[in-house]
Amino acid sequence: MTEELDALVRRAIAEVAPELAPELDDLDPNVDLWRELELDSMDHLSVMTRLSEATGRDIPERDYPKLRSLNAICEYLA
């Protein structure tokens, strides 16, 4: 996992849910983000959309279920 991708994912989450920004620094990269941070499906969609726009990479909805942790998302985008 590259530090740049990790920072990009954390930034996307913080943009969608700014109240969670302080928690993101200590977040375990293997934990289920959506469950741990209590984000709903609209938040998940917003984060994925931001990541897609930031990377120029299409992220189909069918792939969302496997993109649940920082590590999984970074590996997918790498």
Side-chain angles (χ1 to χ4, degrees):
M1 171 172 66
T2 70
E3 290 180 26
E4 293 169 0
L5 287 174
D6 182 89
L8 178 68
V9 175
R10 290 175 195 262
R11 190 169 43 252
I13 294 169
E15 289 172 0
V16 170
E19 70 279 4
L20 297 176
E23 295 178 46
L24 296 176
D25 290 337
D26 298 324
L27 193 63
D28 178 342
N30 295 304
V31 73
D32 184 321
L33 292 171
W34 318 113
R35 187 172 299 143
E36 181 74 17
L37 300 174
E38 298 179 0
L39 297 170
D40 63 22
S41 59
M42 289 307 294
D43 293 329
H44 195 167
L45 176 62
S46 295
V47 169
M48 292 299 127
T49 299
R50 287 175 189 273
L51 292 173
S52 179
E53 291 170 355
T55 61
R57 182 155 183 214
D58 182 45
I59 306 173
E61 278 190 61
R62 69 178 176 273
D63 290 344
Y64 291 4
K66 59 185 168 186
L67 303 175
R68 303 211 44 99
S69 70
L70 276 172
N71 281 344
I73 295 169
C74 290
E75 288 173 13
Y76 182 87
L77 294 174

